[in-house]
Amino acid sequence: MVLLAGGGPFDRDETSGPNKPLKDLAWGLASRGTTVLRFDKATYAHRDVAAASDLTMTQEYVPHAVDAVDLLRSHRSVDPERVFVLGHSMGGKVAPAVAVAAPTVAGLVIMAGDTQPMHHAAVRVVSYLATLLPDQVPPAVIETFQRQAALVDSAELTPSTPAADLPFGLSAPYWLELRDYDPVAIAAGLSKPMLILQGGRDYQVTVANDLVRWRTGLAGRPEADIRVYEADNHLFFPGAGPSTPAEYGTPQHVDPAVIADIAHWLSHGQR
């Protein structure tokens, strides 16, 4: 299994404050007999990559993921026909493109893979946080994200649009590619088993805005196994009540049921 972290300059553990969700997944799966490869993202290991004015999601993920798949396939302890890719968040969004670039991939595990256009999701998330934490997220923040999202949607977005005018400071080429990227359509064109997992308490990638697109686009596809963990947040940490950013600051671990289900699916559950 190759693990892909979410959006941003993450290390191989996807370190988020005191938590390391990809490390949890790696150790949990390895303890159940799966060989796991995870790696620092290029945007973490090489800060000039993160700052490149022409960076795209494909450049950030796909060639490195393909190299990781090839490396595992060449390892003497690995069946080259049984190498899977697991992506979390943006790593899940890009996983179908990795499978296209590396046709030898045996299947995909997509955890909290976002399908709503990311600039629209940014407005939704910041609006949610403003309702939850009004003292920390003033209306001006929402207005900024709305203005930036409108620019991404407009014909005025060109490769030379300043990153400072765009959501999260990502480059214009990044947004131009994302604007036309449809992970569900790509996944629907694959003839590979897929396990799609979603946290019910996730406010970043949600059942209503993201998982619904996976369910609709892959309806009737027996190779797509979709599961919701009602108590889990975006990092698949279990909890109760509305999820907040403060949860990520508390030391936790990925829901053991999630790891057990992935391991079982790899061994027995693919349709």
Side-chain angles (χ1 to χ4, degrees):
M1 180 78 84
V2 172
L3 304 188
L4 303 179
F10 279 114
D11 65 7
R12 68 194 63 192
D13 297 331
E14 200 180 41
T15 300
S16 302
N19 297 297
K20 298 178 180 292
L22 287 197
K23 183 177 181 180
D24 290 349
L25 287 166
W27 281 82
L29 293 173
S31 71
R32 290 165 172 80
T34 297
T35 301
V36 180
L37 189 157
R38 67 195 195 279
F39 54 91
D40 296 339
K41 288 179 66 178
T43 47
Y44 174 87
H46 306 285
R47 297 307 171 97
D48 57 316
V49 173
S53 61
D54 59 349
L55 181 68
T56 65
M57 182 180 68
T58 295
Q59 293 168 353
E60 184 178 10
Y61 281 95
V62 174
H64 314 291
V66 171
D67 285 349
V69 168
D70 290 343
L71 182 62
L72 269 186
R73 293 187 74 241
S74 68
H75 196 282
R76 64 182 181 277
S77 70
V78 173
D79 179 348
E81 304 306 313
R82 295 278 299 164
V83 174
F84 292 75
V85 170
L86 181 157
H88 174 246
S89 197
M90 184 176 279
K93 182 212 294 275
V94 78
V98 173
V100 170
T104 57
V105 167
L108 302 175
V109 179
I110 297 172
M111 301 180 66
D114 50 310
T115 61
Q116 183 183 28
M118 195 167 78
H119 53 303
H120 297 168
V123 175
R124 172 180 54 76
V125 169
V126 76
S127 299
Y128 167 82
L129 295 177
T131 301
L132 203 65
L133 307 166
D135 295 338
Q136 299 178 35
V137 186
V141 174
I142 301 175
E143 293 167 4
T144 296
F145 274 95
Q146 289 173 331
R147 183 175 63 254
Q148 293 171 337
L151 178 56
V152 172
D153 280 329
S154 76
E156 296 177 12
L157 180 65
T158 70
S160 60
T161 300
D165 294 341
L166 298 168
F168 310 117
L170 293 173
S171 71
Y174 207 105
W175 285 109
L176 285 165
E177 181 187 63
L178 274 186
R179 196 169 64 175
D180 297 327
Y181 179 77
D182 185 345
V184 177
I186 297 172
L190 299 173
S191 299
K192 298 178 186 293
M194 290 173 277
L195 178 62
I196 299 172
L197 309 181
Q198 173 70 44
R201 295 173 57 250
D202 188 345
Y203 66 83
Q204 294 167 256
V205 176
T206 71
V207 171
N209 296 283
D210 298 280
L211 189 66
V212 65
R213 290 174 166 87
W214 291 114
R215 282 175 165 161
T216 301
L218 299 176
R221 298 288 296 274
E223 65 270 33
D225 187 341
I226 299 176
R227 308 183 191 185
V228 178
Y229 299 82
E230 295 293 349
D232 292 358
N233 64 16
H234 187 60
L235 298 182
F236 289 85
F237 298 159
S243 182
T244 72
E247 290 184 32
Y248 304 151
T250 302
Q252 298 180 72
H253 292 287
V254 170
D255 189 340
V258 170
I259 296 174
D261 285 353
I262 295 171
H264 185 270
W265 181 82
L266 286 171
S267 300
H268 309 291
Q270 299 155 51
R271 299 176 183 177

